[in-house]
């Protein structure tokens, strides 16, 4: 896989090209790297950049945070390798990256912020991180991911986290206690919810509404924590045949 910062000349744009000093610099002729040393870089560093095609975080091991809006609206961004050192993806970091299709690495993630990948074209299986402790609202709203495993640490799935995505399989790890409002709303490809958690206490309003292909929702037999089942949590799930709350 190649990660490149294109050196092809582009028409000047005060909004798209005014946020970083990388364009035209020889050091960015192949690998895109962090503009300055440190554990992170500026808010919106590559926002709206029309030239960025790939980004390799593994070339700069000191980078552990993808700052808010760092790549928001970078329409040609297709592949990102966040390696094993990045632990935080900030709010709206990759929002609206309509060319994004692959995310590599990610085993060290502990936090995925609000709308982090919202309305991007990120697809396939999202990398598993057993360290993931925070998943923000609308984090994967409208994406094309097909499989997501919460790992062993996550306790709450944020409101609207996967709303309108093409998610097919989701696995809820042993510590998930809360599924937020509209968390899986209109995931019309969702067929399987694998549940390991015996601590699930709350399923928010509209959590699985309009999941028209969902066939089974079954908590482990020794589950007894569920105390809140929100209104319309499973509304319009016409194929749901097995429904067992433990």
């Amino acid at each position: 896989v190649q990660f490149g910062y294109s050196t092809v000349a582009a028409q000047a744009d005060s909004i798209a090209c005014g946020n970083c000093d990388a364009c035209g610099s020889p050091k960015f002729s192949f690998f895109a790297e962090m503009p300055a040393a440190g554990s992170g870089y500026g808010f919106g560093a590559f926002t709206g950049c029309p030239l960025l095609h790939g980004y390799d975080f593994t070339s700069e091991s000191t980078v552990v945070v993808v700052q808010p809006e760092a790549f928001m609206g970078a329409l040609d961004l297709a592949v990102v390798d966040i390696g094993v050192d990045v632990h935080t993806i900030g709010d709206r970091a990759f929002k609206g990256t309509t060319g994004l299709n692959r995310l590599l690495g990610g085993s060290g993630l502990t936090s995925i912020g609000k709308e982090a990948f919202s309305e991007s074209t990120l697809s396939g299986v999202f990398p598993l991180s057993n360290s993931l402790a925070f998943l923000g609202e609308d984090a994967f709203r409208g994406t094309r991911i097909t499989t997501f495993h919460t790992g062993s640490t996550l306790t709450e799935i944020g409101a609207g986290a996967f709303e309108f995505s093409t998610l097919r399989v989701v696995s809820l790890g042993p510590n998930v206690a809360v599924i937020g409002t509209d968390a899986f709303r209109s995931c019309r490809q969702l067929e399987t919810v694998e549940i390991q958690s015996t601590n699930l206490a709350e399923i928010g309003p509209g959590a699985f509404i309009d999941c028209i292909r969902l066939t089974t929702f079954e908590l482990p037999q020794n589950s007894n924590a569920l105390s809140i089942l929100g209104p319309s949590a499973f509304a319009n799930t016409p194929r749901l045949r097995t429904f067992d709350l433990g």
Side-chain angles (χ1 to χ4, degrees):
V1 178
Q2 293 183 342
F3 303 92
Y5 195 100
S6 173
T7 57
V8 176
Q11 183 177 357
D13 187 313
S14 59
I15 297 176
C17 299
N19 295 319
C20 69
D21 59 2
C23 294
S25 172
K27 67 178 287 188
F28 291 96
S29 61
F30 185 73
F31 285 106
E33 300 176 356
M34 186 181 68
S39 62
Y41 48 86
F43 185 105
F46 290 98
T47 296
C49 180
L51 300 179
L52 190 65
H53 306 306
Y55 199 98
D56 183 12
F57 283 92
T58 65
S59 64
E60 178 50 80
S61 61
T62 61
V63 180
V64 294
V65 176
V66 181
Q67 296 285 359
E69 300 183 12
F71 298 90
M72 187 173 71
L75 302 184
D76 280 346
L77 183 65
V79 185
V80 175
D81 189 345
I82 60 175
V84 298
D85 295 310
V86 171
H87 59 66
T88 299
I89 296 178
D91 295 350
R92 301 173 299 281
F94 294 96
K95 182 177 181 178
T97 49
T98 54
L100 183 63
N101 56 63
R102 294 183 66 191
L103 183 75
L104 305 176
S107 61
L109 284 174
T110 61
S111 178
I112 300 174
K114 296 179 181 179
E115 301 180 75
F117 294 94
S118 178
E119 311 304 334
S120 76
T121 50
L122 181 65
S123 60
V125 179
F126 192 82
L128 168 65
S129 172
N130 279 316
S131 302
L132 186 64
F134 178 79
L135 180 61
E137 297 177 5
D138 299 317
F140 293 94
R141 188 182 192 274
T143 64
R144 298 177 184 176
I145 64 170
T146 58
T147 304
F148 188 92
H149 194 304
T150 65
S152 58
T153 304
L154 191 70
T155 60
E156 181 173 353
I157 297 174
F162 297 93
E163 186 176 16
F164 299 115
S165 73
T166 59
L167 195 66
R168 292 178 180 273
V169 177
V170 62
S171 181
L172 306 182
N175 287 306
V176 172
V178 177
I179 299 175
T181 300
D182 295 332
F184 298 96
R185 182 187 183 99
S186 295
C187 290
R188 299 195 166 203
Q189 306 300 318
L190 183 62
E191 299 177 355
T192 304
V193 180
E194 300 172 351
I195 306 173
Q196 301 175 35
S197 178
T198 59
N199 301 310
L200 187 62
E202 179 178 348
I203 301 174
F208 293 92
I209 191 172
D210 291 333
C211 291
I212 59 175
R213 287 182 171 82
L214 183 64
T215 60
T216 303
F217 188 90
E218 188 172 9
L219 296 183
Q221 290 186 351
N222 56 341
S223 299
N224 56 14
L226 188 67
S227 59
I228 300 175
L229 181 62
S232 301
F234 291 89
N236 193 27
T237 51
R239 297 188 185 182
L240 187 61
R241 296 292 181 266
T242 303
F243 184 75
D244 188 348
L245 298 181

